[in-house]
PDB file of all heavy atoms in Angstrom:
ATOM      1  N   GLY A1002     -30.041   8.971  -9.200  1.00  0.00           N
ATOM      2  CA  GLY A1002     -29.623   9.682  -7.997  1.00  0.00           C
ATOM      3  C   GLY A1002     -28.217   9.357  -7.521  1.00  0.00           C
ATOM      4  O   GLY A1002     -27.619   8.346  -7.873  1.00  0.00           O
ATOM      5  N   VAL A1003     -27.717  10.253  -6.696  1.00  0.00           N
ATOM      6  CA  VAL A1003     -26.414  10.128  -6.054  1.00  0.00           C
ATOM      7  C   VAL A1003     -26.623   9.634  -4.636  1.00  0.00           C
ATOM      8  O   VAL A1003     -27.584  10.008  -3.966  1.00  0.00           O
ATOM      9  CB  VAL A1003     -25.691  11.502  -6.044  1.00  0.00           C
ATOM     10  CG1 VAL A1003     -24.519  11.504  -5.086  1.00  0.00           C
ATOM     11  CG2 VAL A1003     -25.240  11.868  -7.453  1.00  0.00           C
ATOM     12  N   GLU A1004     -25.725   8.769  -4.171  1.00  0.00           N
ATOM     13  CA  GLU A1004     -25.825   8.255  -2.803  1.00  0.00           C
ATOM     14  C   GLU A1004     -25.235   9.276  -1.834  1.00  0.00           C
ATOM     15  O   GLU A1004     -24.131   9.774  -2.028  1.00  0.00           O
ATOM     16  CB  GLU A1004     -25.073   6.929  -2.700  1.00  0.00           C
ATOM     17  CG  GLU A1004     -25.165   6.259  -1.347  1.00  0.00           C
ATOM     18  CD  GLU A1004     -24.452   4.925  -1.311  1.00  0.00           C
ATOM     19  OE1 GLU A1004     -23.248   4.892  -1.677  1.00  0.00           O
ATOM     20  OE2 GLU A1004     -25.081   3.915  -0.961  1.00  0.00           O
ATOM     21  N   PHE A1005     -25.990   9.581  -0.759  1.00  0.00           N
ATOM     22  CA  PHE A1005     -25.524  10.518   0.270  1.00  0.00           C
ATOM     23  C   PHE A1005     -25.592   9.798   1.610  1.00  0.00           C
ATOM     24  O   PHE A1005     -26.673   9.428   2.080  1.00  0.00           O
ATOM     25  CB  PHE A1005     -26.391  11.779   0.299  1.00  0.00           C
ATOM     26  CG  PHE A1005     -25.889  12.848   1.239  1.00  0.00           C
ATOM     27  CD1 PHE A1005     -25.100  13.884   0.766  1.00  0.00           C
ATOM     28  CD2 PHE A1005     -26.202  12.814   2.598  1.00  0.00           C
ATOM     29  CE1 PHE A1005     -24.630  14.876   1.632  1.00  0.00           C
ATOM     30  CE2 PHE A1005     -25.742  13.791   3.464  1.00  0.00           C
ATOM     31  CZ  PHE A1005     -24.947  14.833   2.982  1.00  0.00           C
ATOM     32  N   ILE A1006     -24.417   9.575   2.207  1.00  0.00           N
ATOM     33  CA  ILE A1006     -24.327   8.851   3.471  1.00  0.00           C
ATOM     34  C   ILE A1006     -23.933   9.809   4.587  1.00  0.00           C
ATOM     35  O   ILE A1006     -22.942  10.538   4.476  1.00  0.00           O
ATOM     36  CB  ILE A1006     -23.287   7.718   3.388  1.00  0.00           C
ATOM     37  CG1 ILE A1006     -23.656   6.730   2.280  1.00  0.00           C
ATOM     38  CG2 ILE A1006     -23.148   6.995   4.726  1.00  0.00           C
ATOM     39  CD1 ILE A1006     -22.553   5.726   1.975  1.00  0.00           C
ATOM     40  N   HIS A1007     -24.724   9.825   5.666  1.00  0.00           N
ATOM     41  CA  HIS A1007     -24.381  10.577   6.871  1.00  0.00           C
ATOM     42  C   HIS A1007     -23.839   9.566   7.876  1.00  0.00           C
ATOM     43  O   HIS A1007     -24.508   8.579   8.203  1.00  0.00           O
ATOM     44  CB  HIS A1007     -25.615  11.292   7.428  1.00  0.00           C
ATOM     45  CG  HIS A1007     -25.358  11.996   8.728  1.00  0.00           C
ATOM     46  ND1 HIS A1007     -26.373  12.399   9.578  1.00  0.00           N
ATOM     47  CD2 HIS A1007     -24.204  12.373   9.332  1.00  0.00           C
ATOM     48  CE1 HIS A1007     -25.851  12.982  10.645  1.00  0.00           C
ATOM     49  NE2 HIS A1007     -24.536  12.977  10.513  1.00  0.00           N
ATOM     50  N   ALA A1008     -22.609   9.788   8.340  1.00  0.00           N
ATOM     51  CA  ALA A1008     -21.971   8.837   9.246  1.00  0.00           C
ATOM     52  C   ALA A1008     -21.301   9.563  10.402  1.00  0.00           C
ATOM     53  O   ALA A1008     -21.127  10.790  10.390  1.00  0.00           O
ATOM     54  CB  ALA A1008     -20.943   8.003   8.479  1.00  0.00           C
ATOM     55  N   THR A1009     -20.944   8.813  11.432  1.00  0.00           N
ATOM     56  CA  THR A1009     -20.191   9.354  12.556  1.00  0.00           C
ATOM     57  C   THR A1009     -18.976   8.460  12.794  1.00  0.00           C
ATOM     58  O   THR A1009     -18.998   7.261  12.497  1.00  0.00           O
ATOM     59  CB  THR A1009     -21.034   9.400  13.849  1.00  0.00           C
ATOM     60  OG1 THR A1009     -21.453   8.074  14.195  1.00  0.00           O
ATOM     61  CG2 THR A1009     -22.260  10.299  13.665  1.00  0.00           C
ATOM     62  N   ALA A1010     -17.905   9.057  13.331  1.00  0.00           N
ATOM     63  CA  ALA A1010     -16.683   8.295  13.617  1.00  0.00           C
ATOM     64  C   ALA A1010     -16.074   8.807  14.907  1.00  0.00           C
ATOM     65  O   ALA A1010     -16.066  10.017  15.172  1.00  0.00           O
ATOM     66  CB  ALA A1010     -15.687   8.427  12.471  1.00  0.00           C
ATOM     67  N   ASP A1011     -15.550   7.898  15.701  1.00  0.00           N
ATOM     68  CA  ASP A1011     -14.944   8.263  16.981  1.00  0.00           C
ATOM     69  C   ASP A1011     -13.472   8.621  16.793  1.00  0.00           C
ATOM     70  O   ASP A1011     -12.579   8.042  17.410  1.00  0.00           O
ATOM     71  CB  ASP A1011     -15.101   7.117  17.986  1.00  0.00           C
ATOM     72  CG  ASP A1011     -14.699   7.548  19.401  1.00  0.00           C
ATOM     73  OD1 ASP A1011     -14.793   8.766  19.690  1.00  0.00           O
ATOM     74  OD2 ASP A1011     -14.278   6.687  20.190  1.00  0.00           O
ATOM     75  N   ILE A1012     -13.221   9.576  15.900  1.00  0.00           N
ATOM     76  CA  ILE A1012     -11.881  10.103  15.678  1.00  0.00           C
ATOM     77  C   ILE A1012     -11.974  11.620  15.593  1.00  0.00           C
ATOM     78  O   ILE A1012     -13.078  12.184  15.459  1.00  0.00           O
ATOM     79  CB  ILE A1012     -11.244   9.554  14.385  1.00  0.00           C
ATOM     80  CG1 ILE A1012     -12.110   9.904  13.169  1.00  0.00           C
ATOM     81  CG2 ILE A1012     -11.008   8.063  14.484  1.00  0.00           C
ATOM     82  CD1 ILE A1012     -11.465   9.518  11.845  1.00  0.00           C
ATOM     83  N   SER A1013     -10.844  12.287  15.688  1.00  0.00           N
ATOM     84  CA  SER A1013     -10.813  13.746  15.638  1.00  0.00           C
ATOM     85  C   SER A1013      -9.953  14.219  14.471  1.00  0.00           C
ATOM     86  O   SER A1013      -9.299  13.417  13.796  1.00  0.00           O
ATOM     87  CB  SER A1013     -10.249  14.303  16.948  1.00  0.00           C
ATOM     88  OG  SER A1013      -8.882  13.937  17.089  1.00  0.00           O
ATOM     89  N   VAL A1014      -9.945  15.529  14.272  1.00  0.00           N
ATOM     90  CA  VAL A1014      -9.101  16.114  13.234  1.00  0.00           C
ATOM     91  C   VAL A1014      -7.638  15.768  13.488  1.00  0.00           C
ATOM     92  O   VAL A1014      -6.882  15.442  12.563  1.00  0.00           O
ATOM     93  CB  VAL A1014      -9.289  17.646  13.180  1.00  0.00           C
ATOM     94  CG1 VAL A1014      -8.241  18.283  12.272  1.00  0.00           C
ATOM     95  CG2 VAL A1014     -10.683  18.009  12.706  1.00  0.00           C
ATOM     96  N   GLU A1015      -7.229  15.830  14.753  1.00  0.00           N
ATOM     97  CA  GLU A1015      -5.840  15.551  15.103  1.00  0.00           C
ATOM     98  C   GLU A1015      -5.421  14.140  14.715  1.00  0.00           C
ATOM     99  O   GLU A1015      -4.275  13.902  14.329  1.00  0.00           O
ATOM    100  CB  GLU A1015      -5.622  15.768  16.607  1.00  0.00           C
ATOM    101  CG  GLU A1015      -5.627  17.233  17.019  1.00  0.00           C
ATOM    102  CD  GLU A1015      -4.530  18.032  16.322  1.00  0.00           C
ATOM    103  OE1 GLU A1015      -3.366  17.590  16.383  1.00  0.00           O
ATOM    104  OE2 GLU A1015      -4.836  19.064  15.704  1.00  0.00           O
ATOM    105  N   ASP A1016      -6.351  13.194  14.814  1.00  0.00           N
ATOM    106  CA  ASP A1016      -6.032  11.816  14.433  1.00  0.00           C
ATOM    107  C   ASP A1016      -5.681  11.705  12.956  1.00  0.00           C
ATOM    108  O   ASP A1016      -4.949  10.799  12.540  1.00  0.00           O
ATOM    109  CB  ASP A1016      -7.220  10.887  14.739  1.00  0.00           C
ATOM    110  CG  ASP A1016      -7.484  10.754  16.233  1.00  0.00           C
ATOM    111  OD1 ASP A1016      -6.505  10.740  16.994  1.00  0.00           O
ATOM    112  OD2 ASP A1016      -8.657  10.670  16.617  1.00  0.00           O
ATOM    113  N   ILE A1017      -6.211  12.637  12.159  1.00  0.00           N
ATOM    114  CA  ILE A1017      -5.994  12.599  10.708  1.00  0.00           C
ATOM    115  C   ILE A1017      -4.803  13.434  10.286  1.00  0.00           C
ATOM    116  O   ILE A1017      -3.980  13.002   9.461  1.00  0.00           O
ATOM    117  CB  ILE A1017      -7.256  13.064   9.963  1.00  0.00           C
ATOM    118  CG1 ILE A1017      -8.433  12.129  10.267  1.00  0.00           C
ATOM    119  CG2 ILE A1017      -7.015  13.142   8.460  1.00  0.00           C
ATOM    120  CD1 ILE A1017      -9.743  12.582   9.676  1.00  0.00           C
ATOM    121  N   VAL A1018      -4.679  14.645  10.850  1.00  0.00           N
ATOM    122  CA  VAL A1018      -3.661  15.581  10.353  1.00  0.00           C
ATOM    123  C   VAL A1018      -2.346  15.530  11.117  1.00  0.00           C
ATOM    124  O   VAL A1018      -1.313  15.973  10.606  1.00  0.00           O
ATOM    125  CB  VAL A1018      -4.197  17.031  10.356  1.00  0.00           C
ATOM    126  CG1 VAL A1018      -5.438  17.138   9.503  1.00  0.00           C
ATOM    127  CG2 VAL A1018      -4.488  17.516  11.780  1.00  0.00           C
TER     128      VAL A1018
END
Side-chain angles (χ1 to χ4, degrees):
V1003 165
E1004 183 178 54
F1005 186 96
I1006 301 170
H1007 175 197
T1009 60
D1011 190 26
I1012 59 174
S1013 66
V1014 170
E1015 288 300 308
D1016 293 324
I1017 298 175
V1018 302

